[in-house]
Amino acid sequence: MKRDLVTIEDLSDAALVGLMDLADDLQRDLHAHARELSGFLMGSLFLEPSTRTRLSFEAAMARLGGRVITSSDPQTSSAVKGETLADTVRIVDSYVDLTVLRHPHAGAARWAARHARGPVVNAGDGSHEHPTQTLCDLYALRRERGRLKGLFVALYGDLRYGRTTHSLARALVRTGASFLAVAEDDLELPGFVVHDLLRHPDYGVRHVVLDDLEEVFHRNDVRALLVGPTDQLPAGGDDAHAPVSFPLRGHTIDAIYVTRLQQERGASTARGLPILDHRFLRSDPFQETVVLHPLPRVTEIAPEVDQDPRAAYFRQAALGVPIRMALLMWASGHYDLPLDEHPAAPPRPVDGFRCVATRCIAGQDGEGVPQEIGVREHDVPRCLWCESEARTET
Ligand code: NCD
């Protein structure tokens, strides 16, 4: 089977650990692996802006002795002439051994993988997922904190349109960490992610209100989603959606993962959450916090924090190279990882529904992407491309 990476769910728990272990080996001397993938050719097809992801993939391939061809400016690709993604991918795939794709539409990587003979790696598909950023995030967390199991992480910012937190939330519950998703009401984690979290045995989700940190948040009613082992969650009331009070004082947040407002995907600029600055990090729960960010940072972390030893985002970005080297060794077939012994059952296909998400690959004129809707136990029907909730066909 070809080794596509479309969502973080494509990698088993053991594979996540295996990739980080391999990255540790590679990281010891980045210059020592220049023959691993010699003769191998990677195509970077980036139809949306990128600095870190593309360059760290290309650096990773170069460090392994492979070569790269790139199309990184959507304005100079044939997409502007009206070529479909499927056709572009067929062509790139016929030139290279592996394709790394970034695309503005959710589900684009899955669609591309259907048309490629070689592996396709998702480098970000709209506001859906960004699995290789999650590999980098987990790896940075593990290196900064020495472990993942039992960590308490805060996800902070635009959790709705930011794709990195979608993949990260899915992965954190599989590594034994707990997290608090802190966002304004219209920027919270989307339903497809929350539903996924609920599928994990022994894990639960609580709506909470953070009511004791006025000096941090300038108010006492910040709502959050608390996700963790069921026996560690505060008791909920009869109404599963009514938030329960969750005093943060007395808890230690091991890491805060900050994201920028994704204005290009429709996030409103009326942002209510405060900027992370010295004052924020002085408060009790954040004293020991490692600060992570997928970058680019805009205004959500004050530049004064950069000098703080807890600011780990530049160290995190640098780890994008060894972890992507590890991923490329696996995806190219040069390194094996343990497969999932008990993969989740795929969603059951259902008729009579359609995806109405405007930024889904299935809704793009001319792409010819079929409507494919599926349902999992205890969930609503979802689009198999972008995972948003499907509507009944009228
Ligand atoms: C992120 C992305 O593209 O989703 N950037 C990245 O790959 N490091 C985050 C963002 O753009 O905000």
Side-chain angles (χ1 to χ4, degrees):
M1 217 167 67
K2 73 187 170 102
R3 296 176 172 182
D4 297 317
L5 178 63
V6 169
T7 102
I8 198 69
E9 301 297 295
D10 292 335
L11 293 170
S12 68
D13 299 357
L16 293 176
V17 175
L19 283 172
M20 290 188 271
D21 291 345
L22 175 59
D24 271 340
D25 286 345
L26 298 167
Q27 163 79 3
R28 269 187 268 283
D29 183 357
L30 289 179
H31 299 95
H33 316 282
R35 303 176 82 83
E36 294 282 0
L37 294 188
S38 72
F40 200 84
L41 186 59
M42 176 182 105
S44 320
L45 184 54
F46 277 64
L47 299 171
E48 218 191 28
S50 169
T51 305
R52 267 152 298 274
T53 305
R54 183 170 68 81
L55 291 181
S56 62
F57 258 114
E58 296 184 359
M61 189 46 110
R63 293 240 182 251
L64 291 167
R67 308 194 78 160
V68 179
I69 57 168
T70 304
S71 172
S72 63
D73 177 3
Q75 291 314 311
T76 60
S77 96
S78 284
V80 289
K81 298 184 191 167
E83 185 172 58
T84 62
L85 173 64
D87 281 359
T88 308
V89 165
R90 276 190 190 102
I91 301 305
V92 174
D93 171 69
S94 72
Y95 298 161
V96 301
D97 302 305
L98 172 147
T99 304
V100 179
L101 173 75
R102 170 168 289 190
H103 196 278
H105 294 131
R110 187 175 299 286
W111 181 235
R114 279 221 189 149
H115 297 277
R117 157 206 53 93
V120 171
V121 176
N122 182 5
D125 61 329
S127 52
H128 178 228
E129 272 225 31
H130 193 345
T132 69
Q133 180 63 46
T134 290
L135 293 177
C136 178
D137 301 338
L138 291 181
Y139 186 42
L141 254 178
R142 192 174 91 160
R143 285 184 73 96
E144 294 287 331
R145 299 266 82 154
R147 68 194 160 98
L148 293 172
K149 195 171 169 52
L151 290 184
F152 189 29
V153 179
L155 307 181
Y156 187 75
D158 181 351
L159 309 184
R160 176 169 174 198
Y161 297 100
R163 53 197 169 200
T164 66
T165 51
H166 303 165
S167 309
L168 182 57
R170 287 178 145 171
L172 281 174
V173 297
R174 294 167 46 196
T175 60
S178 305
F179 70 86
L180 194 61
V182 187
E184 288 296 292
D185 281 354
D186 52 348
L187 296 178
E188 65 226 347
L189 282 176
F192 79 85
V193 177
V194 177
H195 184 266
D196 226 35
L197 304 175
L198 288 168
R199 286 198 293 127
H200 286 268
D202 310 325
Y203 259 72
V205 167
R206 285 277 184 286
H207 292 269
V208 296
V209 56
L210 309 176
D211 49 13
D212 68 336
L213 278 186
E214 192 162 3
E215 81 270 23
V216 175
F217 296 117
H218 305 305
R219 46 189 248 231
N220 260 339
D221 64 345
V222 173
R223 290 176 183 232
L225 199 68
L226 177 63
V227 181
T230 323
D231 55 4
Q232 292 170 26
L233 293 177
D238 291 341
D239 177 358
H241 289 281
V244 294
S245 164
F246 185 70
L248 255 190
R249 229 177 278 283
H251 290 272
T252 297
I253 308 275
D254 295 297
I256 182 164
Y257 185 92
V258 187
T259 58
R260 80 180 163 93
L261 202 62
Q262 309 276 307
Q263 277 171 266
E264 74 274 36
R265 299 188 209 291
S268 119
T269 50
R271 180 142 193 233
L273 290 176
I275 288 173
L276 191 120
D277 56 10
H278 277 335
R279 187 191 48 81
F280 192 113
L281 289 177
R282 262 199 300 273
S283 68
D284 273 1
F286 297 100
Q287 298 272 330
E288 306 285 319
T289 297
V290 163
V291 183
L292 298 172
H293 191 306
L295 303 179
R297 170 254 311 261
V298 189
T299 54
E300 55 285 345
I301 299 179
E304 64 186 23
V305 176
D306 296 359
Q307 308 311 322
D308 189 304
R310 292 169 290 180
Y313 29 93
F314 296 121
R315 299 194 288 274
Q316 173 191 6
L319 294 173
V321 174
I323 196 71
R324 288 187 170 99
M325 287 169 77
L327 179 75
L328 289 173
M329 285 182 57
W330 168 75
S332 63
H334 285 67
Y335 189 84
D336 289 330
L337 290 169
L339 293 174
D340 206 338
E341 279 180 34
H342 307 287
R348 179 173 51 80
V350 282
D351 292 327
F353 292 87
R354 63 183 294 108
C355 177
V356 293
T358 48
R359 292 184 176 85
C360 173
I361 191 76
Q364 304 314 306
D365 282 346
E367 279 294 347
V369 183
Q371 288 280 338
E372 292 189 12
I373 310 295
V375 67
R376 285 201 155 102
E377 224 185 335
H378 308 304
D379 196 14
V380 294
R382 294 191 183 279
C383 169
L384 296 184
W385 306 107
C386 71
E387 300 191 69
S388 64
E389 185 174 343
R391 295 283 143 79
T392 22
E393 230 149 12
T394 46

